[in-house]
Amino acid sequence: MADDDVPFTGKIRDKLIERKQDWARQGRLLTGTTADPDHDRLPPGQRLVKDWPVLDLGAQPDVTEAKFRLDVDGAVANRLSLRLHEFMALPQTEQASDIHCVTQWSRYDNHWKGVSAQALLRIVQPSSEVNHVIFTAHDGYTANIRLHQFDQPDVLLVHQWQGRPISREHGGPVRMLVPRLYLWKSAKWLRRIHFTISDHPGFWERRGYHNDADPWQEERYD
Ligand SMILES: Nc1nc2c(c(=O)[nH]1)N[C@H]1C(S)=C(S)[C@@H](COP(=O)(O)O)O[C@H]1N2
Ligand SMILES: [Mo]
């Protein structure tokens, strides 16, 4: 593993990660088709599930209120370092969206509550040179998206799902939600949001996953 990788190499499920990396190399699960989100609800190669599967690297950090801290930094006018109650005091949004995982499941009608990315952008005000947004999580996981992918009305920092606090296994107390990209971009146990001029590929992006991750274009692998 690379030096800048997750610090939990003892705990993480190396076998599972190797298998997913092999799938990326082989282009597994690719159907070679695209779909149009204006007319179709299920992206190509996906199947609908009713439950919500759990996927992680093998560690599910216990982010208590005392341990919680959300840093928003990088090339911004106003940096933040928020305790949980301060995060909860930010303007809140409720919204429903569908989610799509690269391992081929999609789940419809998820009802979320949290802080919208666009509300956060108004507060921190990234400099005009910023192009990328990097998420870091309490388990060491990272994911990168482009600023224009972050600056969308359905992108949220969520703390509730179906009217209840997000469970620990799904990344509570606060996780990212970028519903129009494959779910690996939505970092669980969110610790830091970093605004940068240059790109920094995340955990799966360094292992062959696509940098942009649009399910409608089936951007599973690089
Ligand atoms: N912190 C963290 N976030 C993460 C991951 C992870 O291992 N650690 N896995 C990603 C992947 S690969 C997927 S598919 C989704 C799964 O989210 P879920 O377990 O809530 O379904 O979380 C993403 N966010
Ligand atoms: Mo995933």
Side-chain angles (χ1 to χ4, degrees), residues 48-62:
L48 198 55
V49 298
K50 294 273 184 244
D51 58 346
W52 186 7
V54 173
L55 292 104
D56 52 56
L57 304 176
Q60 297 179 344
D62 184 12

Side-chain angles (χ1 to χ4, degrees), residues 25 35 45 53 58 84 104 122 140 178 185 201 210 220:
R25 278 192 213 103
L84 191 55
Q104 270 184 315
R122 282 192 290 276
V178 189
K185 295 288 189 180
H210 200 286
R220 298 179 194 275

Side-chain angles (χ1 to χ4, degrees), residues 10-199:
K11 277 196 206 167
I12 67 172
R13 293 183 294 193
D14 296 309
K15 282 280 170 306
L16 178 82
I17 291 164
E18 274 169 34
R19 197 179 61 192
K20 287 174 93 171
Q21 205 171 350
D22 282 344
W23 288 7
R25 278 192 213 103
Q26 296 156 16
R28 201 168 173 277
L29 312 179
L30 287 175
T31 65
T33 58
T34 62
D36 178 356
D38 293 334
H39 299 102
D40 305 299
R41 192 159 180 192
L42 198 62
Q46 297 294 107
R47 64 190 155 70
L48 198 55
V49 298
K50 294 273 184 244
D51 58 346
W52 186 7
V54 173
L55 292 104
D56 52 56
L57 304 176
Q60 297 179 344
D62 184 12
V63 185
T64 59
E65 180 151 11
K67 280 188 216 152
F68 182 88
R69 189 61 64 97
L70 177 60
D71 293 335
V72 186
D73 58 19
V76 295
N78 307 306
R79 293 177 169 211
L80 300 175
S81 184
L82 302 171
R83 310 295 301 266
L84 191 55
H85 66 92
E86 296 169 319
F87 171 79
M88 295 295 185
L90 297 178
Q92 302 286 316
T93 309
E94 290 191 43
Q95 229 178 85
S97 54
D98 300 344
I99 53 179
H100 312 288
C101 175
V102 70
T103 59
Q104 270 184 315
W105 58 265
S106 293
R107 191 182 189 287
Y108 292 165
D109 299 318
N110 301 279
H111 192 273
W112 311 99
K113 184 173 181 185
V115 174
S116 78
Q118 292 183 330
L120 191 76
L121 287 169
R122 282 192 290 276
I123 297 168
V124 302
Q125 296 178 33
S127 89
S128 59
E129 296 159 308
V130 165
N131 282 312
H132 303 277
V133 188
I134 316 299
F135 308 123
T136 305
H138 279 270
D139 59 347
Y141 185 81
T142 55
N144 59 312
I145 67 173
R146 296 176 195 281
L147 181 62
H148 72 83
Q149 296 172 323
F150 184 78
D151 186 4
Q152 297 291 332
D154 56 357
V155 175
L156 307 175
L157 288 63
V158 291
H159 59 84
Q160 277 189 19
W161 175 76
Q162 316 299 54
R164 293 171 160 271
I166 295 196
S167 65
R168 176 174 168 181
E169 59 182 4
H170 285 299
V174 178
R175 73 172 294 166
M176 276 310 304
L177 173 71
V178 189
R180 278 183 280 168
L181 302 180
Y182 285 121
L183 202 60
W184 87 75
K185 295 288 189 180
S186 295
K188 310 202 284 190
W189 311 291
L190 188 61
R191 175 68 183 82
R192 180 179 182 213
I193 300 180
H194 185 66
F195 290 90
T196 73
I197 295 160
S198 55
D199 202 2

